[in-house]
Amino acid sequence: MLNDYFYHIAEIASEKSGLNVKFIYAQMAHESNNFTSELCVDYHNLSGLTQVEDNGLPQPDGQYFYMAFDTYEDYGNYFGSYLKYYYEDGIAEATTIQEYAEALKRGCYYGDTVENYVNNMTLYYNDAFGDE
């Protein structure tokens, strides 16, 4: 089911990045376990974004630290700008979830398999928007 509030956050990121709002929403839902993860709820970080500077939120499987945002809107603005880094990997040309996830993988955004990332994004996409 579509979460209207988080769809609005995806719209903020989409306006900044020029990318498909529904793909961004599905990505955020996947990364945040449908907006229920501790990182999402406590730190307004919907996609596991990290930073080098120690802020007391160590990434368990890496050398970085999870970013904390004051508001979800702050996250949306930051994430929209951040996604532009993946233009060179083809994200702006993505017309399917598969192409979107492959562009993120080429840019080393995530360590998971493309298949798993696509499957989970698709699950949340279909839950929110039907089988469009």
Side-chain angles (χ1 to χ4, degrees), residues 30 101 109:
H30 163 56
Y109 177 85

Side-chain angles (χ1 to χ4, degrees), residues 32-126:
S32 68
N33 194 28
N34 206 25
F35 314 110
T36 64
S37 72
E38 178 182 353
L39 196 59
C40 171
V41 173
D42 294 344
Y43 303 104
H44 306 107
N45 186 335
L46 301 171
S47 57
L49 296 176
T50 60
Q51 63 188 39
V52 175
E53 183 181 331
D54 186 344
N55 65 353
L57 297 173
Q59 181 186 24
D61 58 351
Q63 61 191 16
Y64 301 112
F65 300 85
Y66 287 119
M67 296 178 76
F69 296 91
D70 291 331
T71 67
Y72 291 115
E73 288 78 9
D74 289 345
Y75 163 85
N77 279 303
Y78 182 90
F79 193 54
S81 295
Y82 181 81
L83 284 169
K84 292 179 181 181
Y85 290 117
Y86 298 91
Y87 279 16
E88 67 187 51
D89 302 301
I91 200 166
E93 291 78 43
T95 59
T96 65
I97 290 173
Q98 179 80 32
E99 293 170 348
Y100 184 90
E102 287 173 350
L104 289 171
K105 184 67 171 181
R106 279 191 296 276
C108 300
Y109 177 85
Y110 61 89
D112 200 358
T113 65
V114 172
E115 179 182 24
N116 190 56
Y117 206 88
V118 167
N119 287 343
N120 282 295
M121 277 189 66
T122 300
L123 175 88
Y124 289 112
Y125 185 99
N126 289 344

